[in-house]
Amino acid sequence: MLSPIPKAFLRGCLASAPFIIVVVPFALLFGVVATEAGLNVAQVMLFSVTVFAGASQFAALQLMQEQAPVLIILATALAINLRMVMYSVAMAPHLGGARLEVRALMAYFLVDQSFAASAVEFERRPHQSLPEKVAFFFGTVAPIAPLWFGASLAGALVGEAISKDYALDFAVPITFLAICAPMLRSLPHIVAAGVSIAGALTLSFLPYGTGLLLAACLAMAAGAACEVALEKRRVR
Amino acid sequence: MIVDQATYWIVVPLLGLGTYLIRFSFLGMLGNRPLPPMMTRALRYTAVAILPGLVAPAVLWPAVTGGATDAPRLAAALVTLAVGILTRSVIGAILAGGATLYTLLWWL
């Protein structure tokens, strides 16, 4: 019999194992596309290790290729990662009691997959001890992080080997559409996406990518407003 | 287009630091404080508010064709979106979109 802490760690590994199917191709693709954009293998790896957030890496890469100004690139990519404020808020009651060094390390590994798996677990078993919760969290990271880095490296090496004529300019749009499509299942999400597209196209005359940022703000507000309106209707 | 080296060396460290601080925020420093409900609500829509707008011009006016709408790319985008909505599978949508793009580029 395993003691509770290794058991919680293993439970974490199992809970995030299904995400491997998403993480590996995504990281591979990032490696390939980033190499095609002129980054060398070390630069691709530094990118994946320091930022460690796929969607914002693809977005930053695309905007860098479009020669957008640095401030706009940072604002757009960071805005994509703002959802992680929610993750941080949701994890604080469960993991906030850990030592500062441990929290600092967990913050680095707070990604979509570790958050999703941990949020489900802590809701299902809220009365575990703190060490068990911490062990579970690190368990969710164990299959994901090494594969993210490894597949980025593999993608970068493949990218250096293949020719430039594979219409890879379109890999990023396809990836983003694929990430968004499954979210378009509720009216507020559909409204937000619609406003985002309409706004970005009509405001594309604005300089330095500011049109996209403005469209994103409008889209977020539209999504939230739509959610409020739906709730009011339900109450009535 | 090729990424400018100076831009890379400014963007990557700052994006890494900023993303880390976002993750660290409540878990690391702010502790057990709830967010105002309006903010939680808006944060739910960050991804869906930015990503479609980011790709829309690239779908309709691709840079490789000099900005002219390109049938294979438009069709690939629509197939990706449709498969993603119907199957909820990110990988399935990417594969379907990629297959559409290469089939049409090869034929036309």
Side-chain angles (χ1 to χ4, degrees):
Chain A
M1 265 311 268
L2 280 171
S3 59
I5 291 172
K7 226 172 159 178
F9 182 84
L10 276 182
R11 236 183 11 253
C13 295
L14 284 177
S16 77
F19 294 122
I20 292 171
I21 314 170
V22 185
V23 166
V24 169
F26 206 48
L28 265 175
L29 187 63
F30 179 76
V32 173
V33 175
T35 328
E36 301 289 297
L39 303 186
N40 62 37
V41 176
Q43 285 174 321
V44 174
M45 289 316 291
L46 188 72
F47 209 148
S48 274
V49 171
T50 51
V51 181
F52 196 20
S56 71
Q57 289 177 224
F58 277 109
L61 192 68
Q62 180 178 332
L63 291 170
M64 285 198 281
Q65 283 179 279
E66 290 169 6
Q67 326 269 314
V70 168
L71 274 180
I72 297 295
I73 301 172
L74 285 172
T76 309
L78 285 173
I80 292 172
N81 290 341
L82 265 184
R83 69 183 184 289
M84 294 170 185
V85 173
M86 269 193 308
Y87 302 175
S88 199
V89 170
M91 289 298 115
H94 299 288
L95 304 172
R99 287 203 319 271
L100 180 64
E101 320 79 273
V102 179
R103 277 179 296 158
L105 190 62
M106 289 192 290
Y108 174 73
F109 287 116
L110 187 55
V111 296
D112 294 330
Q113 292 79 14
S114 58
F115 161 74
S118 301
V120 171
E121 165 81 4
F122 298 159
E123 200 181 305
R124 203 181 291 158
R125 306 168 199 234
H127 300 302
Q128 299 176 69
S129 69
L130 175 65
E132 278 176 278
K133 286 181 175 174
V134 171
F136 181 90
F137 180 85
F138 281 115
T140 64
V141 169
I144 296 299
L147 282 173
W148 175 256
F149 302 137
S152 294
L153 179 63
L157 295 172
V158 171
E160 291 211 318
I162 62 179
S163 95
K164 312 250 171 208
D165 315 321
Y166 284 104
L168 279 175
D169 63 288
F170 217 59
V172 175
I174 285 183
T175 309
F176 279 168
L177 288 170
I179 297 174
C180 284
M183 295 185 213
L184 301 180
R185 287 269 172 149
S186 88
L187 187 60
H189 284 90
I190 295 171
V191 167
V195 171
S196 168
I197 292 171
L201 292 177
T202 50
L203 299 174
S204 63
F205 66 91
L206 288 173
Y208 309 129
T210 43
L212 174 62
L213 275 182
L214 195 58
C217 293
L218 290 173
M220 254 190 266
C226 179
E227 190 187 311
V228 172
L230 284 179
E231 266 167 25
K232 271 192 191 140
R233 187 179 290 180
R234 215 166 289 148
V235 169
R236 236 176 259 161
Chain B
M1 252 191 284
I2 293 298
V3 169
D4 177 60
Q5 286 294 317
T7 311
Y8 171 91
W9 288 110
I10 300 170
V11 166
V12 170
L14 288 180
L15 181 56
L17 182 68
T19 303
Y20 181 75
L21 290 178
I22 289 173
R23 289 170 166 148
F24 188 70
S25 59
F26 281 79
L27 180 60
M29 296 178 306
L30 303 173
N32 220 336
R33 249 172 277 182
L35 277 183
M38 200 55 214
M39 215 177 141
T40 325
R41 212 171 272 137
L43 287 175
R44 248 201 291 279
Y45 300 100
T46 46
V48 97
I50 297 169
L51 301 181
L54 186 68
V55 301
V59 169
L60 289 180
W61 313 312
V64 269
T65 60
T69 304
D70 176 52
R73 285 178 171 77
L74 187 59
L78 294 176
V79 168
T80 307
L81 205 56
V83 172
I85 291 173
L86 293 176
T87 65
R88 285 190 133 166
S89 156
V90 174
I91 297 305
I94 291 178
L95 292 177
T100 310
L101 180 65
Y102 287 121
T103 312
L104 291 178
L105 282 178
W106 188 57
W107 264 350
L108 295 178

